[in-house]
Amino acid sequence: QVQLVESGGGLVQAGGSLRLSCAASGRTFSNYAMGWFRQAPGKVREFVAAIRLSGISTYYADSVKGRFTISRDNARNTMYLQMNSLKPEDTAVYSCAAGLPPSIETASGYVYWGQGTQVTVSS
């Protein structure tokens, strides 16, 4: 089992920045690929970013490319999502996930999920 706890969400004005953290405990963190997904009210959950075991390969949704940066610190069992130039359309509950998904962008491939943290961007 892997337990995931997100933090760092909050209310920010458009153009601002936030850094989300995902702290893992339980099984070896470095054994898993990690991802961030988000879900806005009335919308389906969507892929945001993911990072491979080594932390070298990263993947981003087109909507956040160039604004968000995913990283991981395997020694600290923590993953991060630095979010810059935030837009109102980034408002959602952001959840982190861990697993060995066949497709890094597909939520169903992740086994472990956090509870989520709310990000609200005001215009």
Side-chain angles (χ1 to χ4, degrees):
Q1 284 282 2
V2 174
Q3 292 78 42
L4 303 174
V5 178
E6 303 94 339
S7 61
L11 174 64
V12 64
Q13 288 189 332
S17 299
L18 284 174
R19 188 175 83 153
L20 305 184
S21 298
C22 174
S25 60
R27 290 191 173 182
T28 306
F29 175 76
S30 59
N31 286 348
Y32 299 97
M34 303 289 294
W36 286 100
F37 292 80
R38 67 187 182 186
Q39 186 167 19
K43 295 188 177 181
V44 299
R45 182 167 55 190
E46 64 174 356
F47 169 76
V48 176
I51 187 166
R52 292 287 186 189
L53 281 66
S54 65
I56 295 175
S57 298
T58 57
Y59 307 82
Y60 296 93
D62 288 342
S63 59
V64 307
K65 205 170 292 184
R67 300 187 298 121
F68 291 9
T69 302
I70 190 172
S71 61
R72 66 189 295 166
D73 184 341
N74 287 342
R76 296 178 181 269
N77 288 352
T78 304
M79 175 179 66
Y80 305 96
L81 184 69
Q82 178 66 43
M83 305 186 295
N84 298 329
S85 302
L86 282 161
K87 304 175 181 180
E89 51 262 45
D90 294 318
T91 296
V93 174
Y94 285 69
S95 300
C96 63
L100 295 172
S103 171
I104 197 95
E105 300 181 10
T106 303
S108 61
Y110 291 82
V111 177
Y112 305 106
W113 289 84
Q115 294 284 74
T117 185
Q118 177 70 46
V119 171
T120 303
V121 184
S122 63
S123 57

